[in-house]
Amino acid sequence: MSTVEWKKLPVSLTELCINTTLRCGQSFRWRKSDEDEWSLALHGRILTLRQDADTIHYKAVFPQVESPLLTPPPPITSNEGDDILALIQHYFNLEPNLGQLYEQWASADANFMKKAPKFTGVRILKQDAWEALVGFICSSNNNISRISQMVEKLCLQYGPLIGHVGTVPYHDFPQPHTLTGARVEQHLRELGFGYRAKYIHQTAIMVAEKGMDWLEGLRNPESPVLGGKPSPAGEMLEGGREGYRRAHEELLSLQGVGPKVADCVCLFGLGWGESVPVDTHVWTIAQRDYKFGKGKHSSLTKATYDAIANRFRALWGKEAGWAHSVLFTADLKTFSSRLVAKVEEKTKTEVVVKEEGSEGPKVESIVETKVKTKRIKVEPEQVEGQVLEVEDVSHRKSKRRKKI
């Protein structure tokens, strides 16, 4: 394997926190390859990242040429390094100023203003549309951990091997034609995909027949693939721009794709920022924080789904799906540790005991220590996952008088 040394990209934690963004249910293939490093096979290379307070450190490992060369291969050029940088900037959607977006959303929504400061640096990734489609078909009635396991199995069985990090193999995501074989559905069932196996297999056949150009043709022209030039996407309406509505409707023709999966693909794979995926988790947020759940919106029907999405689009505009993802992340149990601190409470009790034959009373001290947790605000500049230790020691003394 040929290796590019670590390089630096200045970016603050408030603009991008990879430990939050890579674990909040957008992408399911990133793995921690070391204590503070994340790795992914992407576009024919293994990309590895780590982060400190003001810098993303990155490197890429490329596979060796299988046949031996008569002359040594040339060193990695600056153009290849620039390509890696461009890929990172595109994939992490680094062009928008996230601080300004947070301010815009907070000024329109008191609930966002309350929750968002604890979860800065959440960015919407620009993933491949096909990967997003399959990943979110796997998300049906599932949790992030199990979805990640399924996607990893899919890559190990059907994706091209790019290389290893240590002894761990990294495979790129399989293309549609590799999942169209007659035995694929049964094999996926054997791997634990359940009913999703049929959906993945049939959708792969449909996309292979329609062609990847069909899927990419549903993309937001303001958010082209890497290297493409953006173009206007039309007027923003209550239900989203015309191109978003068309993309959503066409995705519903695929197997295993309902409104929520279609919205996830639109948002995370096709660049439609106004797409607002509504599942039971978001339904809970809408009831608790936005007064849904009564009258005609007492259950999560199609009408309620659309009403919630339209409400968020009215609040947050054409990047409503991004703002929604921040609140979704804030509600995930995965990140509850950043809001919890250990508080130690000590109670000191003095007991006065009169002993026979003694000249005076004997004072015995009994100290009881109790540990409890309380929710606190972690400052945005703190690294995600760090638990802030708080020691709040209080002393309570009580004396019992000597009996006469």
Side-chain angles (χ1 to χ4, degrees), residues 36-312:
D36 296 311
E37 295 178 8
W38 292 89
S39 294
L40 171 73
L42 183 66
H43 294 182
R45 70 203 72 189
I46 301 175
L47 184 63
T48 300
L49 309 173
R50 68 171 186 251
Q51 184 173 24
D52 56 35
D54 54 13
T55 306
I56 294 287
H57 303 265
Y58 66 93
K59 65 179 180 180
V61 178
F62 297 85
Q64 289 180 335
V65 177
E66 292 184 0
S67 58
L69 300 177
L70 297 177
T71 56
I76 300 298
T77 64
S78 59
N79 287 336
E80 286 177 307
D82 291 341
D83 173 65
I84 300 165
L85 177 59
L87 176 60
I88 292 171
Q89 291 172 325
H90 174 83
Y91 184 88
F92 284 98
N93 198 8
L94 291 180
E95 184 176 347
N97 184 306
L98 190 54
Q100 290 179 1
L101 285 175
Y102 270 52
E103 288 179 7
Q104 173 188 323
W105 298 327
S107 66
D109 179 12
N111 183 56
F112 188 93
M113 182 182 293
K114 177 183 177 182
K115 300 280 183 64
K118 306 179 185 72
F119 293 88
T120 55
V122 177
R123 301 195 83 94
I124 296 297
L125 303 175
K126 290 188 175 184
Q127 300 178 78
D128 292 343
W130 167 245
E131 178 180 340
L133 173 58
V134 175
F136 285 103
I137 288 176
C138 292
S139 74
S140 175
N141 296 315
N142 220 341
N143 59 51
I144 293 174
S145 176
R146 289 193 68 236
I147 301 165
S148 299
Q149 292 170 16
M150 287 182 176
V151 171
E152 182 179 359
K153 290 176 182 177
L154 202 66
C155 293
L156 287 172
Q157 297 294 324
Y158 296 98
L161 175 65
I162 305 302
H164 293 74
V165 176
T167 60
V168 179
Y170 279 75
H171 294 244
D172 217 331
F173 200 80
Q175 292 302 300
H177 69 272
T178 64
L179 299 172
T180 59
R183 200 184 172 282
V184 168
E185 180 182 339
Q186 181 58 35
H187 187 208
L188 293 179
R189 287 185 182 276
E190 292 168 0
L191 292 173
F193 282 70
Y195 63 86
R196 305 169 193 88
K198 177 181 178 181
Y199 295 153
I200 292 170
H201 180 231
Q202 293 186 349
T203 288
I205 292 173
M206 295 176 72
V207 173
E209 290 176 348
K210 290 173 178 286
M212 289 295 286
D213 288 344
W214 166 79
L215 184 59
E216 288 298 334
L218 304 178
R219 177 175 296 280
N220 180 358
E222 291 181 356
S223 181
V225 296
L226 178 62
K229 293 184 178 180
S231 60
E235 182 184 359
M236 181 67 182
L237 304 172
E238 181 185 45
R241 288 166 286 189
E242 182 180 351
Y244 155 67
R245 297 197 303 274
R246 179 177 69 86
H248 190 271
E249 188 65 27
E250 292 207 32
L251 288 170
L252 291 175
S253 68
L254 301 174
Q255 292 293 311
V257 178
K260 177 250 182 178
V261 171
D263 271 321
C264 286
V265 178
C266 284
L267 179 61
F268 302 122
L270 295 171
W272 291 105
E274 69 262 50
S275 177
V276 179
V278 180
D279 59 7
T280 54
H281 192 83
V282 176
W283 169 230
T284 299
I285 295 173
Q287 292 177 89
R288 186 188 64 215
D289 301 329
Y290 294 94
K291 298 181 179 179
F292 281 86
K294 296 180 180 180
K296 63 181 180 179
H297 298 312
S298 59
S299 60
L300 187 50
T301 61
K302 174 65 166 60
T304 303
Y305 185 108
D306 292 341
I308 292 171
N310 288 338
R311 165 77 165 138
F312 288 162

Side-chain angles (χ1 to χ4, degrees), residues 358-398:
S358 63
E359 296 181 356
K362 178 182 179 181
V363 177
E364 296 180 349
S365 295
I366 301 173
V367 179
E368 296 180 354
T369 302
K370 296 180 180 179
V371 178
K372 60 182 180 180
T373 61
K374 69 176 181 180
R375 293 196 169 270
I376 60 166
K377 175 182 176 181
V378 178
E379 296 303 320
E381 63 268 18
Q382 291 182 269
V383 178
E384 190 281 326
Q386 179 180 3
V387 178
L388 184 63
E389 297 289 341
V390 177
E391 184 177 10
D392 183 10
V393 181
S394 61
H395 299 276
R396 184 178 71 228
K397 296 183 180 180
S398 63

Side-chain angles (χ1 to χ4, degrees), residues 303-363:
T304 303
Y305 185 108
D306 292 341
I308 292 171
N310 288 338
R311 165 77 165 138
F312 288 162
R313 279 189 280 267
L315 275 175
W316 303 321
K318 70 177 186 178
E319 297 294 351
W322 195 332
H324 138 281
S325 294
V326 175
L327 295 185
F328 179 89
T329 302
D331 250 43
L332 289 176
K333 291 181 180 179
T334 303
F335 302 108
S336 61
S337 62
R338 68 167 62 180
L339 300 177
V340 175
K342 288 191 295 185
V343 179
E344 187 177 276
E345 185 180 86
K346 292 183 178 180
T347 302
K348 183 177 181 181
T349 304
E350 292 184 351
V351 181
V352 181
V353 182
K354 183 179 180 181
E355 294 184 339
E356 293 184 4
S358 63
E359 296 181 356
K362 178 182 179 181
V363 177

